[in-house]
Amino acid sequence: MSENALMPGTARVTFDYSDGSKVQQFSNGFQNHLARYNKQHQSLHGKKVKIDPYERSKSCSQWLVEQLKDIGIEAYIHRYNIPTTTTTTSTNNTSNQMKRQGYNVYSVLRAPKSDGRESIVLLTSFNSSDESSIPTPSSGTESSIGVALTIMQYLHKKGNIWLAKDLILVISDTFLEQSSSFNNNIGLKNWLHDYHDSTMISKDIKGSDNNNNNNNNNNNNNNNNNNNNNNNNNNNNNNNNNNSVKDFINNNYFPRAGAIQAAINIEISNKKYQSDHVYVLAEGSNGQLPNLDLINTVGRLAKREGYSKSMLLSPSSRSRNDDELQFIPAEHRTLARFMLNQAIGIPTGDHGLFNKYHIDAITLGVSGISSTMGARVLIGTIRSLNNLLERLHQSFYYYLLPSPFHYISIGEYMISIGLIISPLAFGVIYLLISLSNVFTSPTIFTPKSKSNTTTTTTTTTTTTTTTKETDKKKKNLFEELGTFECLDTPKDIVYSITIVALFQLIGISLFSLPQTFTNATSIILNYLSNFEMVGLFGIFGVSYFILFLIVLPLIDKMFYPKNEPIKSFKESKSNDYSQLITNSNRNHLKSGSNSFFVFSNLPILIFITTMSLLNFSFCTFASILSIPLCFISQITNNNNNNNNNNNNNNNNNNNNNNINNNLNNININNIIKKIISTIKKLIVYSLLLLFSPPVVLYLFSHYVLNDQNVFIFLLTIIKQYDQYSTLLFPFLSLIYIPLNLSILKSIK
């Protein structure tokens, strides 16, 4: 614990089971209201007419406001516009746009001992269209609504003594989330936007303006009794002005509390959470994490309440796979789940929406049976946050959690990703140094002649011995690092940059077009979802055919005409220009050269090194997947070069042998080497096919995401990038697809 002002557990929480019984009362009241609304609608309109979810959400919001006002807390309904939905008619084939309003309920418990500049947010949600919310006999009816209302009633009665920060309760309806496959609380998002919007009016100036206008009108009527006509005209003008002011206030009136310092999301679920467990969910948008002191505070309070061994960091899945992994240590499983949730980038709860506003937030989840103990932990956390004199800043924001009470700091886990990318990074740097010799003057590297250095017989001996010793030292140093022979010319380098730039432009277009034409992208992907296999592999097959058989051969002819003699860098330094490079060497200079390897792998190195600070877990999985693929082209090209050299040596040896040895033309060693090389090629080509973008997308969507359609998965990750700035869509379009194109181009 880095922040001493938190002092978790120093104060006694008097919330007991008598207060916990009110949780069930509020929960039953809310569920009975939903049941009454559904019965009234069926009695008036019949079962055939569907219930309007927006009107039902409005009715639930009004019920919640009445309950909060009965407690004695100021409560408001926040209205927001829901994004337009297009509906098409079958007769006219026209689209109609409908704007509907959503409703949030929020209340403010003013702290009597504060100036109203700081606040803490409690948030929860409900689903008014969920049929399971209707109470049934002998069922646990504890809900998040009941816990939230009970805590607000408790703090209103007993929290005025110690409460030093305003407490805000936000309740949103999540019935719009049923169509989406990830958390997208539109109501909470709009509430946060309006809370931080400077155009919204927070002061209650409605009544004061009306009183001032009435007083002015009374004074004018008393002083100007003789001018009735003028007063009537003035009153009409004032009424018109008052109506316009009232309309502006009604549209922009938003009562606020102080600046939000922290937020806690309350989530009660018997399906998601196990009994006798407390769950602390911390992963936010794109893997952002709150201050570690906030998690430590909840952990110490849960330990005090008896949850030291039953506090978890992610909802445990009750599947067979979870039972099969029991042989793995618990800390390793917790760390793997934590990194997986962080790599996906989707918030594990509604608390993730607060990361955009730099507010530390977590989700506290318990089952309905453990709602009383969860409420005690929550009240203790509020008391600890109430003691803060400033924002949380002393502890870590970059960490990994193998358990709720142990962490791995950034100075330790960054070493692992450095070791993963180090082979590629050192290889690229070494080749860059070798390529730098192409653009340097040859006089720098040529040793001085003896005629220039000989002035006297005494000086020549000393200078030559010193230069020879230094040359030997330099040669020994380079021999220790490994000798390297550069075969690239300036034209090869320009060619490599051109091809890599073309592949990157393809990735940029795949990244930008879906964001520019969102409606067209969704229509196309939804249509292609009906033809999954044909659409996926057909699109990639046609695009590869056009690129590798039409576009790239034209670029090759522009740079390397067939009749042009091409010289390597080693030959360009010598005076012998008679030797021409064959087609195999020409292919090596074009695509298998060192410059092509360097420039094609620079984007992935830049991406991983920069984005690892934002989302370490995603960059770790991405580097494990993609960095081994970067060396496939080098392995195949080296094997081909070795085979060519061996064949040339064997041919020379056969020509020099005697006539009696001509009978043994079949060399068993060469046959074995050819078989091994073909096996290596088959392995490499199968790996390339396995890790190609269409196969990876198909396997991931069907075997990891439980048989989800590939195109629906693509549409989902595009929406996730728009909502939470996740890294999966940028990595796939900007890095992975261009990298696969470069590997296919570099292999002979």
Side-chain angles (χ1 to χ4, degrees):
M1 184 71 68
S2 301
E3 184 62 58
N4 294 324
L6 288 170
M7 296 184 293
T10 56
R12 179 174 175 269
V13 178
T14 59
F15 191 90
D16 53 11
Y17 288 97
S18 61
D19 296 318
S21 62
K22 297 178 182 178
V23 174
Q24 191 170 0
Q25 294 178 5
F26 282 115
S27 300
N28 289 333
F30 178 72
Q31 293 169 350
N32 289 328
H33 174 75
L34 273 175
R36 285 196 303 270
Y37 184 86
N38 293 332
K39 289 181 180 179
Q40 289 178 1
H41 184 274
Q42 290 179 1
S43 61
L44 293 174
H45 303 283
K47 295 183 179 180
K48 294 183 180 180
V49 180
K50 293 183 179 180
I51 300 174
D52 189 0
Y54 298 94
E55 293 297 329
R56 181 166 50 187
S57 177
K58 182 179 179 180
S59 176
C60 294
S61 301
Q62 291 174 353
W63 184 88
L64 291 171
V65 169
E66 291 176 358
Q67 297 298 318
L68 290 168
K69 288 183 177 180
D70 292 338
I71 293 172
I73 307 172
E74 54 178 297
Y76 308 96
I77 292 180
H78 171 246
R79 296 175 177 84
Y80 61 93
N81 292 324
I82 296 172
T84 59
T85 57
T86 58
T87 57
T88 58
T89 58
S90 60
T91 56
N92 298 324
N93 292 327
T94 58
S95 60
N96 298 322
Q97 293 184 353
M98 298 177 63
K99 290 184 178 181
R100 304 299 298 267
Q101 277 192 342
Y103 303 94
N104 293 320
V105 176
Y106 73 101
S107 63
V108 181
L109 179 59
R110 306 286 178 181
K113 296 182 179 181
S114 69
D115 54 358
R117 294 184 179 181
E118 296 175 349
S119 63
I120 302 170
V121 172
L122 296 179
L123 59 136
T124 187
S125 60
F126 66 94
N127 191 354
S128 60
S129 62
D130 189 4
E131 303 236 342
S132 63
S133 61
I134 300 175
T136 57
S138 66
S139 64
T141 58
E142 293 85 355
S143 64
S144 302
I145 298 296
V147 174
L149 295 177
T150 304
I151 290 175
M152 294 299 289
Q153 186 180 23
Y154 171 83
L155 294 176
H156 177 66
K157 292 181 179 179
K158 300 179 181 181
N160 290 327
I161 302 172
W162 50 266
L163 198 61
K165 291 180 173 62
D166 294 339
L167 190 64
I168 305 173
L169 174 64
V170 182
I171 304 174
S172 58
D173 192 356
T174 60
F175 70 94
L176 293 174
E177 294 184 20
Q178 290 182 344
S179 60
S180 62
S181 59
F182 54 93
N183 294 326
N184 187 16
N185 196 333
I186 300 173
L188 180 60
K189 187 186 299 182
N190 283 275
W191 184 88
L192 282 169
H193 178 270
D194 292 342
Y195 190 89
H196 295 89
D197 189 5
S198 60
T199 61
M200 305 298 287
I201 300 171
S202 59
K203 293 182 179 180
D204 190 6
I205 62 174
K206 186 190 298 184
S208 62
D209 288 341
N210 290 330
N211 291 327
N212 291 328
N213 290 325
N214 290 327
N215 291 327
N216 291 326
N217 289 327
N218 290 326
N219 292 325
N220 290 325
N221 289 325
N222 291 326
N223 294 325
N224 299 318
N225 292 322
N226 295 322
N227 297 322
N228 292 324
N229 293 325
N230 292 326
N231 287 328
N232 290 326
N233 293 325
N234 290 327
N235 289 326
N236 291 326
N237 292 326
N238 289 328
N239 290 326
N240 292 327
N241 292 326
N242 289 332
N243 290 328
S244 62
V245 170
K246 287 179 181 179
D247 293 335
F248 177 78
I249 291 172
N250 290 328
N251 294 326
N252 297 278
Y253 180 61
F254 192 92
R256 292 184 179 88
I260 302 173
Q261 286 197 333
I264 302 174
N265 180 32
I266 311 166
E267 191 172 358
I268 310 296
S269 176
N270 292 325
K271 297 179 180 180
K272 188 176 181 181
Y273 305 116
Q274 298 179 7
S275 60
D276 298 331
H277 285 76
V278 172
Y279 296 84
V280 179
L281 310 181
E283 297 86 359
S285 301
N286 193 20
Q288 296 182 27
L289 299 172
N291 194 279
L292 187 58
D293 279 340
L294 184 57
I295 299 175
N296 290 332
T297 301
V298 179
R300 291 194 179 188
L301 291 170
K303 190 175 182 179
R304 185 184 179 186
E305 297 295 333
Y307 287 108
S308 60
K309 296 183 180 179
S310 57
M311 181 178 173
L312 301 176
L313 297 174
S314 61
S316 59
S317 60
R318 304 174 185 176
S319 60
R320 294 180 180 177
N321 294 328
D322 192 38
D323 296 333
E324 293 174 356
L325 298 176
Q326 293 297 325
F327 66 94
I328 301 175
E331 292 184 351
H332 295 172
R333 282 181 289 160
T334 303
L335 180 62
R337 285 175 185 154
F338 187 85
M339 292 184 65
L340 183 61
N341 292 331
Q342 190 181 19
I344 293 172
I346 304 173
T348 52
D350 292 337
H351 67 277
L353 299 174
F354 287 84
N355 297 128
K356 181 180 179 181
Y357 302 94
H358 305 285
I359 299 171
D360 297 317
I362 59 170
T363 292
L364 185 64
V366 293
S367 63
I369 300 173
S370 306
S371 59
T372 302
M373 301 300 291
R376 289 175 61 87
V377 175
L378 181 59
I379 293 171
T381 306
I382 294 171
R383 295 205 67 166
S384 297
L385 295 173
N386 185 69
N387 298 330
L388 286 176
L389 301 176
E390 53 188 348
R391 287 181 178 269
L392 293 170
H393 66 283
Q394 292 189 5
S395 188
F396 294 100
Y397 282 94
Y398 298 98
Y399 52 87
L400 297 176
L401 295 177
S403 69
F405 305 101
H406 299 87
Y407 72 95
I408 303 172
S409 64
I410 185 174
E412 296 175 352
Y413 65 72
M414 286 298 289
I415 299 173
S416 61
I417 195 170
L419 293 174
I420 295 172
I421 67 174
S422 59
L424 183 62
F426 286 130
V428 169
I429 292 171
Y430 180 65
L431 294 178
L432 275 175
I433 294 172
S434 66
L435 290 174
S436 64
N437 297 331
V438 178
F439 297 99
T440 56
S441 177
T443 58
I444 297 174
F445 298 96
T446 55
K448 294 181 180 180
S449 62
K450 292 183 180 180
S451 61
N452 293 327
T453 58
T454 58
T455 58
T456 60
T457 58
T458 57
T459 57
T460 53
T461 56
T462 57
T463 54
T464 53
T465 54
T466 55
T467 53
K468 287 181 180 179
E469 290 178 356
T470 55
D471 290 337
K472 287 181 180 179
K473 290 181 180 179
K474 290 181 180 179
K475 289 181 180 179
N476 292 330
L477 179 63
F478 282 109
E479 285 176 359
E480 290 177 359
L481 294 175
T483 58
F484 183 79
E485 184 178 351
C486 182
L487 297 175
D488 292 348
T489 61
K491 182 184 285 188
D492 299 328
I493 296 174
V494 175
Y495 174 82
S496 301
I497 294 173
T498 303
I499 298 298
V500 173
L502 175 63
F503 293 158
Q504 291 299 321
L505 286 175
I506 294 173
I508 291 171
S509 62
L510 293 175
F511 175 73
S512 59
L513 288 177
Q515 299 179 46
T516 306
F517 307 100
T518 55
N519 293 328
T521 303
S522 61
I523 292 171
I524 292 172
L525 292 177
N526 287 322
Y527 176 76
L528 290 175
S529 62
N530 299 322
F531 313 97
E532 184 179 9
M533 293 289 292
V534 177
L536 179 64
F537 293 97
I539 290 173
F540 277 93
V542 171
S543 60
Y544 283 177
F545 178 82
I546 295 172
L547 182 63
F548 286 98
L549 296 180
I550 298 176
V551 177
L552 292 179
L554 293 176
I555 298 175
D556 293 341
K557 290 181 181 179
M558 291 173 60
F559 280 88
Y560 302 103
K562 292 182 178 180
N563 296 324
E564 181 183 358
I566 302 175
K567 295 168 286 298
S568 65
F569 175 66
K570 182 178 179 181
E571 293 172 348
S572 63
K573 292 197 295 183
S574 63
N575 293 323
D576 189 8
Y577 298 98
S578 60
Q579 292 182 355
L580 298 179
I581 295 177
T582 59
N583 291 327
S584 62
N585 290 328
R586 181 189 297 270
N587 192 13
H588 171 74
L589 288 174
K590 289 190 295 182
S591 59
S593 61
N594 300 319
S595 59
F596 190 81
F597 179 79
V598 169
F599 295 118
S600 62
N601 292 321
L602 275 178
I604 187 171
L605 283 177
I606 295 171
F607 181 87
I608 291 175
T609 53
T610 55
M611 294 299 172
S612 60
L613 293 174
L614 297 177
N615 196 334
F616 165 79
S617 300
F618 179 84
C619 291
T620 301
F621 293 132
S623 60
I624 293 172
L625 174 66
S626 57
I627 284 183
L629 295 176
C630 300
F631 294 97
I632 290 179
S633 60
Q634 293 293 317
I635 293 171
T636 55
N637 291 328
N638 290 330
N639 290 328
N640 291 326
N641 293 327
N642 292 327
N643 292 327
N644 292 325
N645 292 326
N646 292 325
N647 292 325
N648 293 325
N649 292 326
N650 291 324
N651 291 325
N652 293 324
N653 292 325
N654 290 325
N655 291 325
N656 293 324
N657 287 330
N658 295 323
I659 299 172
N660 294 324
N661 294 327
N662 291 330
L663 298 175
N664 299 322
N665 290 326
I666 300 173
N667 194 347
I668 299 174
N669 293 326
N670 291 331
I671 295 173
I672 294 173
K673 289 179 180 179
K674 288 181 180 180
I675 293 172
I676 293 172
S677 64
T678 54
I679 292 172
K680 287 182 179 179
K681 286 183 180 181
L682 290 175
I683 294 172
V684 169
Y685 293 152
S686 61
L687 288 175
L688 287 177
L689 181 62
L690 181 63
F691 289 100
S692 62
V695 176
V696 169
L697 289 174
Y698 183 81
L699 294 177
F700 186 80
S701 60
H702 282 270
Y703 292 97
V704 179
L705 301 179
N706 297 324
D707 292 333
Q708 187 179 4
N709 192 283
V710 176
F711 295 101
I712 301 299
F713 169 68
L714 290 174
L715 186 62
T716 302
I717 63 174
I718 293 171
K719 291 180 180 179
Q720 288 173 1
Y721 174 76
D722 294 334
Q723 296 291 333
Y724 306 115
S725 300
T726 56
L727 296 180
L728 182 57
F729 177 60
F731 175 77
L732 180 64
S733 58
L734 296 175
I735 303 299
Y736 195 71
I737 292 178
L739 179 64
N740 275 267
L741 295 176
S742 300
I743 293 170
L744 292 175
K745 174 63 179 173
S746 61
I747 292 177
K748 295 180 183 180

